[in-house]
Amino acid sequence: MNRFLLFRNILGGRRPATAGRRGADSPPLRLAISALALCLATSPLAAGEIWVSNEKDNTLSVIDADRFEVTRTIPTGERPRGITFSRDFSRLYICASDSDTVQVMDPETGEILHDLPSGEDPEQFVLHPDNRHLYIANENDAVTTVVDVETRKVVDQIDVGIEPEGMAVSPDGAIVVTTSETTNMAHWIDTETRKIVGNTLVDARPRHAEFVKNGSELWVSSEIGGTITVFDVPTQAEKAKIRFEVKGIHPDRIQPVGFELTDDEKTAFVALGPANHVAVVNAETYEVEDYILVGRRVWHMAFNGDKSRLFTTNGVSGDVTVIDVASREPIRTVKVGRFPWGAAYRP
Amino acid sequence: MRAPALFLAAIAALVSAAPARADLAVPMAYLRLLQDRPPVLSNLDPHPDDLGLAGAELALADNVTTGRFLGHDYALRLIDLAPGGDALAAARAALAQTRLVMIEAPAADLIAIADLPEAQSALLFDVASPDTALRDGDCRANLLHTLPSRAMRADALMQFAHARRWDRLALISGSHPEDQAFAEALRSSAAKFGLKIRAEATWAFDADMRRNASEEVPVFTQKLGDYDLLLVADELGDFARYIPYNTWRPRPVAGSEGLVPTAWAAPVEQWGAAQLQGRFHDLAQRDMQAEDYAAWAAVRALGEAVTRTASADPATLRAFLLSPEFELAGFKGRALSFRPWNGQLRQPIPLVTRGALADQAPLPGYLHQSNELDTLGLDAPESRCEAFR
């Protein structure tokens, strides 16, 4: 469907793409460029894309997940951080932190369709499995805001700890977790009542949370604590703690942030921030098996469609490292904008 | 002796909607021995009335939010003493309220307060004195320090100069005791890192440099000969601002002006610092300074210790704060902790200009057998502090 739409635009007599600056405010030009990129793709299948938010450029970089090239650079609001697609990938939600809004983008055209009321300084969010409710961490306000993306209204705000950031939703949608960086807690929110049903302490400065293994475990990374805490979800009890140690790097520099698990959920990849490495963790024994050198200050990551490649955002070096998942080797570096932060896959 | 002027004011006890579990009260006090400040030449950077205190207020709000989830009720009471008042009476008044006290006071008063019988079971935080002796032979077991010592700041600057191979230094120092103390810290640090201070001069002008800096400073700095970096020790912010660009030789300036080693300043924004800066600005309507950061760190360190130990007992909190389990996320890229040999808060030292962060010490390559942060200031073998042993 994509290609037809784009092709029609070209036949419709739009201006051809030029090699120069891609107009930030001229959707037709951007369409032409992405169409060209698609035409050039060697694979008969539409190449998947990795979308990356560039925190200090106010842009998104779209990377062709097969060719490892930036095919589009799209302007956003100020300081884009968390990004996530709707379930059908027809909408992209963008936390534009310094614009104090969540922007809704048509990923085909790169056009901002509208803004959602998000509360102040949205940093990360999760889309509930109902595809309708966004749970947003408002870093400056110590609240989690719940927004209905259809009515575009705030339906609730829940008081949490200072500097909420990490957001996770259980696969059945029953629980949302917000982690707060300065309060050092995971707050467990019942999505029916939208009340906090548990507060569990984690190590210093929690940054990212995910439900894994069919929602039986919650993982929370702590940047300053240098650990991932694994919780047993039914009891909210701490089950394991994952620690990291990279030869030649002081423990203080090992700061776990984003992480992702492979499809079989037997292996986790953990970004270690200024340690400039991604850890490969056995998700069953919680032991670290390997460390992969990536760019500087690695934040977050996203897999491609078949999870054969992992793309990490490296904030300080302004690039994305492509890791071959099978061999656990970095295979390519892709230059993106300044301070790349969030990453999301789109088929 | 005139009657002590004591002002008592409760700042906040904003505990709301505490959950139905056993509440733990955590009363804290903030004691200020207000000082008369000598006049300075420029009016550009006024001394905020709430310097330090505003940081404590922000940390209190942070602690209150966390405490709400755990049933911990924090309160902070301000006790001000006018210049010339009875410091020990004010300290006793604070200690009658609580055994957890943040103190802004000169070094001699801090020692006297820490030695009070009432203070022996208390946990005191020096949030404003950079005096190196308080971390050395004059240390007290019940007194922790959250502002970096002058030695830590000097070491941060010397690491930078050394890394740049700016080996030849010159030094201009002011005549206040604080200026002399910082100059001495710079001299020891230069020796520690193998740098040479080749020439020194003392600032003793009484002219108004806003009018004739361009005439006086070139002549004044001509006699310093050649050097790579000009150090200026002007802790009160009096004359140093008139030196850059007016030196006889075209050389960078560092110390109290130019490139400044400090616990905190407005250009610090990495490591989530932008969030702390933003919250502070919302609260105080001004930029956060080093003293604000030190007071914030003290109150937050207490909050973190209460959170982890579920206790408000000074001895329990002190033991936790000095243990390897304690770590404070201080928005400077590394966990902050206390040195168990002298109670100093370990912390990176930003090196800032008025507009940007130039670098942050410890710089890469300055290694330490246990913690790189201990390349700044008095390390265990150097410190003559016995009280913590």
Side-chain angles (χ1 to χ4, degrees), chain B residues 117-136:
Chain B
E118 293 92 330
Q120 296 319 301
S121 61
L123 182 56
L124 311 176
F125 288 85
D126 158 27
V127 295
S129 174
D131 189 72
T132 304
L134 287 173
R135 287 85 168 162
D136 203 6

Side-chain angles (χ1 to χ4, degrees), chain B residues 184-203:
Chain B
E184 190 46 46
L186 290 167
R187 285 183 205 108
S188 327
S189 183
K192 177 170 166 182
F193 289 98
L195 306 176
K196 250 198 163 51
I197 297 181
R198 293 156 61 111
E200 285 202 35
T202 303
W203 184 270

Side-chain angles (χ1 to χ4, degrees), chain A residues 171 211-218 230-234 239 265:
Chain A
F211 284 90
V212 305
K213 303 181 188 173
N214 295 321
S216 64
E217 286 181 4
L218 174 76
V230 178
F231 289 98
D232 176 57
V233 168
K239 182 176 176 181
E265 301 208 302

Side-chain angles (χ1 to χ4, degrees), chain B residues 5-351:
Chain B
L6 268 181
F7 303 97
L8 295 171
I11 300 174
L14 308 161
V15 184
S16 60
R21 70 180 88 177
D23 279 7
L24 175 69
V26 189
M28 301 176 287
Y30 194 98
L31 170 63
R32 294 197 295 189
L33 308 191
L34 301 171
Q35 306 293 312
D36 287 325
R37 302 181 55 78
V40 295
L41 291 171
S42 168
N43 303 322
L44 275 177
D45 299 310
H47 183 90
D49 288 340
D50 60 353
L51 185 67
L53 180 63
E57 286 181 82
L58 181 64
L60 174 67
D62 291 357
N63 289 354
V64 164
T65 303
T66 303
R68 205 177 54 206
F69 298 109
L70 298 168
H72 298 164
D73 301 350
Y74 295 88
L76 183 64
R77 184 175 280 269
L78 174 64
I79 297 164
D80 271 352
L81 178 68
D86 184 342
L88 294 182
R92 283 196 193 94
L95 288 162
Q97 310 271 348
T98 172
R99 301 275 146 151
L100 304 170
V101 187
M102 272 43 74
I103 308 176
E104 271 180 34
D109 291 318
L110 279 169
I111 293 171
I113 292 169
D115 287 342
L116 281 173
E118 293 92 330
Q120 296 319 301
S121 61
L123 182 56
L124 311 176
F125 288 85
D126 158 27
V127 295
S129 174
D131 189 72
T132 304
L134 287 173
R135 287 85 168 162
D136 203 6
D138 288 346
C139 72
R140 293 295 183 272
N142 54 353
L143 183 63
L144 307 184
H145 312 273
T146 52
L147 195 66
S149 65
R150 291 192 181 95
M152 290 168 72
R153 289 169 49 222
D155 285 349
L157 182 55
M158 291 305 162
Q159 284 191 0
F160 184 88
H162 186 248
R164 290 286 188 285
R165 299 284 178 267
W166 295 346
D167 297 342
R168 303 173 308 159
L169 309 172
L171 170 63
I172 300 174
S173 29
S175 47
H176 295 286
E178 293 91 338
D179 303 338
Q180 293 299 317
F182 188 41
E184 190 46 46
L186 290 167
R187 285 183 205 108
S188 327
S189 183
K192 177 170 166 182
F193 289 98
L195 306 176
K196 250 198 163 51
I197 297 181
R198 293 156 61 111
E200 285 202 35
T202 303
W203 184 270
F205 290 86
D206 44 19
D208 184 343
M209 280 300 139
R210 277 178 298 182
R211 276 196 296 273
N212 38 23
S214 62
E215 289 167 26
E216 303 292 346
V217 175
V219 181
F220 180 68
T221 53
Q222 187 178 12
K223 64 186 179 201
L224 293 171
D226 199 9
Y227 52 88
D228 300 317
L229 177 66
L230 178 56
L231 305 172
V232 184
D234 171 30
E235 288 285 84
L236 298 163
D238 187 23
F239 62 91
R241 67 174 69 232
Y242 303 105
I243 292 181
Y245 302 101
N246 277 321
T247 50
W248 183 258
R249 290 173 187 274
R251 298 287 182 268
V253 172
S256 303
E257 184 62 46
L259 185 70
V260 179
T262 179
W264 195 259
V268 179
E269 57 173 12
Q270 264 202 354
W271 313 110
Q275 267 77 249
L276 183 65
Q277 302 275 25
R279 281 189 283 130
F280 184 87
H281 217 279
D282 289 347
L283 177 91
Q285 307 301 316
R286 60 175 177 82
D287 289 338
M288 191 175 193
Q289 302 184 23
E291 292 83 354
D292 300 310
Y293 183 83
W296 175 86
V299 175
R300 271 296 298 135
L302 268 179
E304 191 62 22
V306 170
T307 298
R308 301 289 170 181
T309 60
S311 166
D313 167 50
T316 307
L317 296 175
R318 181 183 181 278
F320 179 78
L321 288 169
L322 293 173
S323 76
E325 279 71 51
F326 171 73
E327 53 185 13
L328 182 66
F331 302 93
K332 295 207 266 192
R334 288 178 176 225
L336 312 186
S337 52
F338 285 95
R339 292 180 177 150
W341 58 88
N342 65 0
Q344 168 70 48
L345 185 70
R346 286 189 181 99
Q347 55 191 301
I349 306 287
L351 291 148

Side-chain angles (χ1 to χ4, degrees), chain A residues 21-37:
Chain A
R21 206 164 59 94
R22 271 166 260 173
D25 43 9
S26 54
L29 200 54
R30 276 201 309 273
L31 277 179
I33 285 178
S34 58
L36 271 182

Side-chain angles (χ1 to χ4, degrees), chain A residues 244-321:
Chain A
F244 306 91
E245 196 175 319
V246 185
K247 198 164 184 239
I249 297 176
H250 191 275
D252 280 1
R253 310 289 292 176
I254 299 175
Q255 303 181 355
V257 195
F259 54 87
E260 288 288 338
L261 270 72
T262 51
D263 259 347
D264 60 11
E265 301 208 302
K266 287 184 176 159
T267 308
F269 292 86
V270 183
L272 297 181
N276 308 337
H277 280 76
V278 166
V280 185
V281 177
N282 183 321
E284 290 171 332
T285 63
Y286 311 111
E287 297 292 325
V288 181
E289 293 178 343
D290 210 347
Y291 293 97
I292 303 166
L293 182 65
V294 294
R296 295 174 61 202
R297 198 160 188 204
V298 54
W299 279 118
H300 287 281
M301 59 185 73
F303 283 110
N304 66 348
D306 61 9
K307 296 207 173 184
S308 61
R309 305 267 195 266
L310 183 65
F311 295 74
T312 70
T313 54
N314 311 318
V316 172
S317 47
D319 51 30
V320 164
T321 301

